[in-house]
mmCIF file of all heavy atoms in Angstrom:
data_model
loop_
_atom_site.group_PDB
_atom_site.id
_atom_site.type_symbol
_atom_site.label_atom_id
_atom_site.label_comp_id
_atom_site.label_asym_id
_atom_site.label_seq_id
_atom_site.Cartn_x
_atom_site.Cartn_y
_atom_site.Cartn_z
ATOM 1 N N GLU A 642 25.735 6.142 -8.249
ATOM 2 C CA GLU A 642 26.693 6.894 -9.149
ATOM 3 C C GLU A 642 28.191 6.356 -9.014
ATOM 4 O O GLU A 642 28.836 6.343 -10.019
ATOM 5 C CB GLU A 642 26.495 8.402 -8.823
ATOM 6 C CG GLU A 642 26.837 9.348 -9.968
ATOM 7 C CD GLU A 642 27.979 10.245 -9.709
ATOM 8 O OE1 GLU A 642 28.454 10.319 -8.503
ATOM 9 O OE2 GLU A 642 28.278 11.093 -10.551
ATOM 10 N N PRO A 643 28.594 5.971 -7.852
ATOM 11 C CA PRO A 643 30.018 5.594 -7.799
ATOM 12 C C PRO A 643 30.329 4.367 -8.533
ATOM 13 O O PRO A 643 31.468 4.109 -8.846
ATOM 14 C CB PRO A 643 30.295 5.347 -6.161
ATOM 15 C CG PRO A 643 29.158 6.140 -5.596
ATOM 16 C CD PRO A 643 28.102 6.168 -6.473
ATOM 17 N N TYR A 644 29.310 3.552 -8.757
ATOM 18 C CA TYR A 644 29.570 2.221 -9.459
ATOM 19 C C TYR A 644 29.109 2.218 -10.871
ATOM 20 O O TYR A 644 29.285 1.174 -11.585
ATOM 21 C CB TYR A 644 28.809 0.993 -8.729
ATOM 22 C CG TYR A 644 28.674 1.341 -7.283
ATOM 23 C CD1 TYR A 644 27.424 1.626 -6.705
ATOM 24 C CD2 TYR A 644 29.772 1.152 -6.445
ATOM 25 C CE1 TYR A 644 27.354 1.803 -5.229
ATOM 26 C CE2 TYR A 644 29.688 1.262 -4.980
ATOM 27 C CZ TYR A 644 28.527 1.713 -4.470
ATOM 28 O OH TYR A 644 28.330 1.955 -3.155
ATOM 29 N N ILE A 645 28.410 3.231 -11.319
ATOM 30 C CA ILE A 645 27.653 3.188 -12.617
ATOM 31 C C ILE A 645 28.588 2.846 -13.827
ATOM 32 O O ILE A 645 28.303 2.160 -14.712
ATOM 33 C CB ILE A 645 26.795 4.340 -12.826
ATOM 34 C CG1 ILE A 645 25.688 4.130 -13.918
ATOM 35 C CG2 ILE A 645 27.590 5.642 -13.157
ATOM 36 C CD1 ILE A 645 24.474 3.444 -13.497
ATOM 37 N N GLY A 646 29.906 3.445 -13.661
ATOM 38 C CA GLY A 646 30.903 3.216 -14.629
ATOM 39 C C GLY A 646 31.386 1.827 -14.849
ATOM 40 O O GLY A 646 31.646 1.340 -15.940
ATOM 41 N N LEU A 647 31.362 1.047 -13.698
ATOM 42 C CA LEU A 647 31.832 -0.247 -13.631
ATOM 43 C C LEU A 647 30.907 -1.282 -14.198
ATOM 44 O O LEU A 647 31.269 -2.296 -14.635
ATOM 45 C CB LEU A 647 32.061 -0.591 -12.123
ATOM 46 C CG LEU A 647 32.915 -1.741 -11.712
ATOM 47 C CD1 LEU A 647 34.366 -1.601 -12.164
ATOM 48 C CD2 LEU A 647 32.901 -1.822 -10.213
ATOM 49 N N ILE A 648 29.556 -0.909 -14.137
ATOM 50 C CA ILE A 648 28.561 -1.835 -14.496
ATOM 51 C C ILE A 648 28.116 -1.817 -15.926
ATOM 52 O O ILE A 648 28.036 -0.681 -16.451
ATOM 53 C CB ILE A 648 27.292 -1.594 -13.556
ATOM 54 C CG1 ILE A 648 27.683 -1.532 -12.068
ATOM 55 C CG2 ILE A 648 26.215 -2.567 -13.825
ATOM 56 C CD1 ILE A 648 26.533 -0.946 -11.221
ATOM 57 N N ASP A 649 27.938 -2.964 -16.567
ATOM 58 C CA ASP A 649 27.509 -3.004 -17.920
ATOM 59 C C ASP A 649 26.065 -2.584 -18.152
ATOM 60 O O ASP A 649 25.733 -1.873 -19.036
ATOM 61 C CB ASP A 649 27.695 -4.333 -18.581
ATOM 62 C CG ASP A 649 29.190 -4.646 -18.577
ATOM 63 O OD1 ASP A 649 29.921 -4.259 -19.444
ATOM 64 O OD2 ASP A 649 29.657 -5.373 -17.601
ATOM 65 N N ALA A 650 25.185 -3.173 -17.282
ATOM 66 C CA ALA A 650 23.715 -2.859 -17.441
ATOM 67 C C ALA A 650 23.112 -2.712 -16.073
ATOM 68 O O ALA A 650 23.553 -3.496 -15.100
ATOM 69 C CB ALA A 650 23.007 -3.934 -18.188
ATOM 70 N N VAL A 651 22.237 -1.765 -15.886
ATOM 71 C CA VAL A 651 21.619 -1.470 -14.586
ATOM 72 C C VAL A 651 20.025 -1.540 -14.746
ATOM 73 O O VAL A 651 19.583 -0.876 -15.655
ATOM 74 C CB VAL A 651 22.044 -0.184 -14.023
ATOM 75 C CG1 VAL A 651 21.355 0.005 -12.603
ATOM 76 C CG2 VAL A 651 23.484 -0.116 -13.844
ATOM 77 N N VAL A 652 19.360 -2.353 -13.907
ATOM 78 C CA VAL A 652 17.894 -2.323 -13.926
ATOM 79 C C VAL A 652 17.341 -1.961 -12.495
ATOM 80 O O VAL A 652 17.825 -2.362 -11.417
ATOM 81 C CB VAL A 652 17.461 -3.821 -14.201
ATOM 82 C CG1 VAL A 652 15.895 -3.933 -14.107
ATOM 83 C CG2 VAL A 652 17.862 -4.337 -15.534
ATOM 84 N N ALA A 653 16.461 -0.945 -12.605
ATOM 85 C CA ALA A 653 15.609 -0.603 -11.333
ATOM 86 C C ALA A 653 14.501 -1.682 -11.218
ATOM 87 O O ALA A 653 13.634 -1.651 -12.066
ATOM 88 C CB ALA A 653 15.115 0.743 -11.501
ATOM 89 N N GLY A 654 14.665 -2.542 -10.239
ATOM 90 C CA GLY A 654 13.663 -3.581 -10.103
ATOM 91 C C GLY A 654 12.717 -3.349 -9.014
ATOM 92 O O GLY A 654 11.761 -4.070 -8.901
ATOM 93 N N TRP A 655 12.813 -2.204 -8.272
ATOM 94 C CA TRP A 655 11.831 -1.763 -7.201
ATOM 95 C C TRP A 655 11.565 -2.913 -6.227
ATOM 96 O O TRP A 655 12.524 -3.698 -5.895
ATOM 97 C CB TRP A 655 10.560 -1.360 -7.819
ATOM 98 C CG TRP A 655 10.782 -0.288 -9.024
ATOM 99 C CD1 TRP A 655 10.426 -0.502 -10.312
ATOM 100 C CD2 TRP A 655 11.405 0.945 -8.935
ATOM 101 N NE1 TRP A 655 10.847 0.543 -11.102
ATOM 102 C CE2 TRP A 655 11.404 1.441 -10.233
ATOM 103 C CE3 TRP A 655 12.059 1.674 -7.951
ATOM 104 C CZ2 TRP A 655 12.040 2.720 -10.560
ATOM 105 C CZ3 TRP A 655 12.607 2.888 -8.228
ATOM 106 C CH2 TRP A 655 12.558 3.408 -9.472
ATOM 107 N N LEU A 656 10.383 -3.062 -5.802
ATOM 108 C CA LEU A 656 10.026 -4.152 -4.820
ATOM 109 C C LEU A 656 8.937 -5.009 -5.576
ATOM 110 O O LEU A 656 7.757 -4.847 -5.499
ATOM 111 C CB LEU A 656 9.517 -3.632 -3.511
ATOM 112 C CG LEU A 656 10.464 -2.758 -2.823
ATOM 113 C CD1 LEU A 656 9.790 -2.041 -1.625
ATOM 114 C CD2 LEU A 656 11.568 -3.649 -2.157
ATOM 115 N N PRO A 657 9.478 -6.090 -6.343
ATOM 116 C CA PRO A 657 8.555 -6.705 -7.333
ATOM 117 C C PRO A 657 7.487 -7.627 -6.833
ATOM 118 O O PRO A 657 6.570 -8.019 -7.391
ATOM 119 C CB PRO A 657 9.501 -7.505 -8.241
ATOM 120 C CG PRO A 657 10.790 -7.662 -7.473
ATOM 121 C CD PRO A 657 10.891 -6.493 -6.522
ATOM 122 N N GLY A 658 7.725 -8.159 -5.413
ATOM 123 C CA GLY A 658 6.815 -9.019 -4.900
ATOM 124 C C GLY A 658 7.035 -10.408 -5.188
ATOM 125 O O GLY A 658 8.207 -10.792 -5.393
ATOM 126 N N SER A 659 5.993 -11.235 -5.209
ATOM 127 C CA SER A 659 6.240 -12.739 -5.151
ATOM 128 C C SER A 659 6.609 -13.312 -6.467
ATOM 129 O O SER A 659 7.069 -14.493 -6.598
ATOM 130 C CB SER A 659 4.917 -13.453 -4.578
ATOM 131 O OG SER A 659 3.810 -13.280 -5.431
ATOM 132 N N GLU A 660 6.350 -12.618 -7.590
ATOM 133 C CA GLU A 660 6.567 -13.282 -8.985
ATOM 134 C C GLU A 660 7.794 -12.782 -9.712
ATOM 135 O O GLU A 660 7.768 -12.078 -10.596
ATOM 136 C CB GLU A 660 5.251 -13.071 -9.741
ATOM 137 C CG GLU A 660 3.944 -13.467 -9.070
ATOM 138 C CD GLU A 660 4.043 -14.883 -8.458
ATOM 139 O OE1 GLU A 660 4.348 -15.760 -9.205
ATOM 140 O OE2 GLU A 660 3.685 -14.989 -7.211
ATOM 141 N N GLY A 661 8.922 -13.345 -9.184
ATOM 142 C CA GLY A 661 10.251 -12.941 -9.692
ATOM 143 C C GLY A 661 10.490 -13.384 -11.224
ATOM 144 O O GLY A 661 11.343 -12.910 -11.808
ATOM 145 N N GLN A 662 9.509 -14.263 -11.679
ATOM 146 C CA GLN A 662 9.721 -14.635 -13.048
ATOM 147 C C GLN A 662 9.606 -13.499 -14.027
ATOM 148 O O GLN A 662 10.124 -13.425 -15.038
ATOM 149 C CB GLN A 662 8.671 -15.713 -13.442
ATOM 150 C CG GLN A 662 8.854 -16.594 -14.644
ATOM 151 C CD GLN A 662 10.217 -17.388 -14.624
ATOM 152 O OE1 GLN A 662 10.378 -18.141 -13.685
ATOM 153 N NE2 GLN A 662 11.007 -17.256 -15.740
ATOM 154 N N GLY A 663 8.857 -12.546 -13.654
ATOM 155 C CA GLY A 663 8.741 -11.285 -14.364
ATOM 156 C C GLY A 663 10.008 -10.600 -14.623
ATOM 157 O O GLY A 663 10.124 -9.929 -15.663
ATOM 158 N N VAL A 664 10.998 -10.639 -13.636
ATOM 159 C CA VAL A 664 12.350 -10.087 -13.897
ATOM 160 C C VAL A 664 13.023 -10.798 -15.035
ATOM 161 O O VAL A 664 13.606 -10.195 -15.931
ATOM 162 C CB VAL A 664 13.105 -10.161 -12.589
ATOM 163 C CG1 VAL A 664 14.507 -9.515 -12.806
ATOM 164 C CG2 VAL A 664 12.349 -9.387 -11.491
ATOM 165 N N ALA A 665 13.037 -12.149 -14.957
ATOM 166 C CA ALA A 665 13.674 -12.975 -15.976
ATOM 167 C C ALA A 665 12.985 -12.797 -17.375
ATOM 168 O O ALA A 665 13.699 -12.784 -18.412
ATOM 169 C CB ALA A 665 13.588 -14.435 -15.561
ATOM 170 N N ASP A 666 11.716 -12.442 -17.363
ATOM 171 C CA ASP A 666 10.929 -12.329 -18.691
ATOM 172 C C ASP A 666 11.662 -11.224 -19.500
ATOM 173 O O ASP A 666 11.676 -11.311 -20.762
ATOM 174 C CB ASP A 666 9.533 -11.945 -18.377
ATOM 175 C CG ASP A 666 8.665 -13.131 -18.033
ATOM 176 O OD1 ASP A 666 9.025 -14.230 -18.207
ATOM 177 O OD2 ASP A 666 7.520 -12.897 -17.393
ATOM 178 N N VAL A 667 12.033 -10.155 -18.825
ATOM 179 C CA VAL A 667 12.721 -9.043 -19.520
ATOM 180 C C VAL A 667 14.217 -9.104 -19.691
ATOM 181 O O VAL A 667 14.721 -8.771 -20.751
ATOM 182 C CB VAL A 667 12.336 -7.613 -18.963
ATOM 183 C CG1 VAL A 667 10.877 -7.233 -19.393
ATOM 184 C CG2 VAL A 667 12.535 -7.577 -17.500
ATOM 185 N N LEU A 668 14.842 -9.724 -18.690
ATOM 186 C CA LEU A 668 16.308 -9.899 -18.738
ATOM 187 C C LEU A 668 16.732 -10.765 -19.872
ATOM 188 O O LEU A 668 17.782 -10.342 -20.646
ATOM 189 C CB LEU A 668 16.919 -10.628 -17.532
ATOM 190 C CG LEU A 668 17.052 -9.900 -16.195
ATOM 191 C CD1 LEU A 668 17.743 -10.837 -15.159
ATOM 192 C CD2 LEU A 668 17.925 -8.608 -16.424
ATOM 193 N N PHE A 669 15.993 -11.802 -20.341
ATOM 194 C CA PHE A 669 16.373 -12.667 -21.292
ATOM 195 C C PHE A 669 15.582 -12.428 -22.661
ATOM 196 O O PHE A 669 15.713 -13.297 -23.519
ATOM 197 C CB PHE A 669 16.218 -14.187 -20.855
ATOM 198 C CG PHE A 669 17.093 -14.588 -19.729
ATOM 199 C CD1 PHE A 669 16.711 -14.564 -18.434
ATOM 200 C CD2 PHE A 669 18.419 -14.867 -20.016
ATOM 201 C CE1 PHE A 669 17.566 -14.892 -17.474
ATOM 202 C CE2 PHE A 669 19.302 -15.259 -18.981
ATOM 203 C CZ PHE A 669 18.877 -15.248 -17.663
ATOM 204 N N GLY A 670 14.871 -11.403 -22.672
ATOM 205 C CA GLY A 670 14.219 -10.938 -23.977
ATOM 206 C C GLY A 670 13.020 -11.728 -24.337
ATOM 207 O O GLY A 670 12.555 -11.511 -25.537
ATOM 208 N N ASP A 671 12.328 -12.403 -23.442
ATOM 209 C CA ASP A 671 11.005 -12.918 -23.864
ATOM 210 C C ASP A 671 9.993 -11.779 -23.969
ATOM 211 O O ASP A 671 8.984 -11.889 -24.677
ATOM 212 C CB ASP A 671 10.570 -13.857 -22.734
ATOM 213 C CG ASP A 671 11.355 -15.277 -22.730
ATOM 214 O OD1 ASP A 671 11.784 -15.573 -23.744
ATOM 215 O OD2 ASP A 671 11.522 -15.791 -21.629
ATOM 216 N N TYR A 672 10.339 -10.696 -23.247
ATOM 217 C CA TYR A 672 9.486 -9.440 -23.385
ATOM 218 C C TYR A 672 10.540 -8.300 -23.430
ATOM 219 O O TYR A 672 11.601 -8.423 -22.833
ATOM 220 C CB TYR A 672 8.522 -9.231 -22.155
ATOM 221 C CG TYR A 672 7.399 -10.255 -22.220
ATOM 222 C CD1 TYR A 672 7.619 -11.529 -21.584
ATOM 223 C CD2 TYR A 672 6.225 -10.043 -22.748
ATOM 224 C CE1 TYR A 672 6.575 -12.423 -21.531
ATOM 225 C CE2 TYR A 672 5.173 -10.891 -22.771
ATOM 226 C CZ TYR A 672 5.416 -12.135 -22.181
ATOM 227 O OH TYR A 672 4.367 -13.074 -22.168
ATOM 228 N N GLY A 673 10.128 -7.166 -23.913
ATOM 229 C CA GLY A 673 10.997 -5.939 -23.844
ATOM 230 C C GLY A 673 10.811 -5.233 -22.652
ATOM 231 O O GLY A 673 9.753 -5.269 -22.005
ATOM 232 N N PHE A 674 11.870 -4.398 -22.340
ATOM 233 C CA PHE A 674 11.746 -3.410 -21.308
ATOM 234 C C PHE A 674 10.949 -2.239 -21.655
ATOM 235 O O PHE A 674 11.105 -1.786 -22.748
ATOM 236 C CB PHE A 674 13.182 -2.949 -20.870
ATOM 237 C CG PHE A 674 13.929 -3.796 -19.940
ATOM 238 C CD1 PHE A 674 14.777 -4.721 -20.460
ATOM 239 C CD2 PHE A 674 13.837 -3.566 -18.583
ATOM 240 C CE1 PHE A 674 15.544 -5.501 -19.509
ATOM 241 C CE2 PHE A 674 14.486 -4.357 -17.660
ATOM 242 C CZ PHE A 674 15.310 -5.352 -18.246
ATOM 243 N N THR A 675 9.949 -1.868 -20.877
ATOM 244 C CA THR A 675 9.092 -0.735 -21.237
ATOM 245 C C THR A 675 8.888 0.247 -20.118
ATOM 246 O O THR A 675 8.349 1.303 -20.242
ATOM 247 C CB THR A 675 7.667 -1.247 -21.568
ATOM 248 O OG1 THR A 675 7.174 -1.975 -20.483
ATOM 249 C CG2 THR A 675 7.733 -2.085 -22.846
ATOM 250 N N GLY A 676 9.427 -0.128 -18.829
ATOM 251 C CA GLY A 676 9.197 0.779 -17.662
ATOM 252 C C GLY A 676 9.809 2.108 -17.771
ATOM 253 O O GLY A 676 10.897 2.179 -18.349
ATOM 254 N N LYS A 677 9.209 3.124 -17.166
ATOM 255 C CA LYS A 677 9.715 4.466 -17.138
ATOM 256 C C LYS A 677 9.898 4.876 -15.671
ATOM 257 O O LYS A 677 8.966 4.693 -14.918
ATOM 258 C CB LYS A 677 8.878 5.462 -17.874
ATOM 259 C CG LYS A 677 8.622 5.139 -19.360
ATOM 260 C CD LYS A 677 9.842 5.122 -20.179
ATOM 261 C CE LYS A 677 9.618 4.685 -21.631
ATOM 262 N NZ LYS A 677 10.864 4.233 -22.280
ATOM 263 N N LEU A 678 10.974 5.743 -15.374
ATOM 264 C CA LEU A 678 11.117 6.086 -13.876
ATOM 265 C C LEU A 678 9.941 6.869 -13.365
ATOM 266 O O LEU A 678 9.613 7.942 -14.089
ATOM 267 C CB LEU A 678 12.366 6.965 -13.806
ATOM 268 C CG LEU A 678 13.703 6.289 -13.796
ATOM 269 C CD1 LEU A 678 14.892 7.280 -13.582
ATOM 270 C CD2 LEU A 678 13.814 5.222 -12.654
ATOM 271 N N PRO A 679 9.345 6.408 -12.264
ATOM 272 C CA PRO A 679 8.159 7.205 -11.723
ATOM 273 C C PRO A 679 8.696 8.374 -10.843
ATOM 274 O O PRO A 679 7.922 9.153 -10.397
ATOM 275 C CB PRO A 679 7.502 6.130 -10.875
ATOM 276 C CG PRO A 679 8.473 5.194 -10.499
ATOM 277 C CD PRO A 679 9.570 5.149 -11.574
#
Side-chain angles (χ1 to χ4, degrees):
E642 210 234 359
Y644 326 107
I645 197 88
L647 193 64
I648 305 170
D649 297 279
V651 182
V652 176
W655 315 116
L656 297 167
S659 60
E660 306 312 306
Q662 196 64 46
V664 179
D666 284 343
V667 287
L668 279 186
F669 294 98
D671 292 328
Y672 293 84
F674 276 92
T675 56
K677 303 293 176 206
L678 283 181

